[in-house]
Amino acid sequence: MSDDIQAALREMARSIGALESQVSGFASQWRDQDQKASFGRRDLHQKIDALRSDMQTLEGQVRAAISDIALMKPIVEAVEAAKLQAEGAVTAVRWTSRAGYWLAVAVTLGAGWVLSNWLNIKVSLR
């Protein structure tokens, strides 16, 4: 019986050794997975921090652009008003010059009519 007990004890020791090996393997695997997860979380946090920094930089640039646009708006409006005034002046000059042209034509025709109908001018050719 002692051989049977010895065999049973050896079998139990072998089983415990295999179990210990499996537990050790699992512990090592869990440790590796935990370490990889820690590295992944660290990388994720670094990326989020970089993104936050980029967003803050972008926010500052947008604020500066809005401020610049606000400063340029009155100037742009003044330029647009001057452009409209210039267009109005061109239109006024165009209509005035047309009116002056037709007035000159009317005066010339009127003077010709007066000369031909009211004045008796004789031209003699000798």
Side-chain angles (χ1 to χ4, degrees), residues 5 9 20 38 40 43 49 60 64 71 73 79 84 87 92 97 102 105 113-114 121 123-124 126:
I5 293 175
L9 286 176
E20 183 182 4
S38 293
D43 288 343
D49 289 341
L71 289 174
K73 187 175 180 179
V79 168
L84 289 174
E87 288 175 6
S97 65
W102 288 111
V105 167
W113 183 80
V114 166
I121 300 175
V123 177
S124 64
R126 291 188 186 190

Side-chain angles (χ1 to χ4, degrees), residues 54-67:
D54 290 346
M55 291 297 288
Q56 288 174 343
T57 301
L58 183 61
E59 180 184 7
Q61 291 173 347
V62 168
R63 286 179 192 251
I66 289 172
S67 174

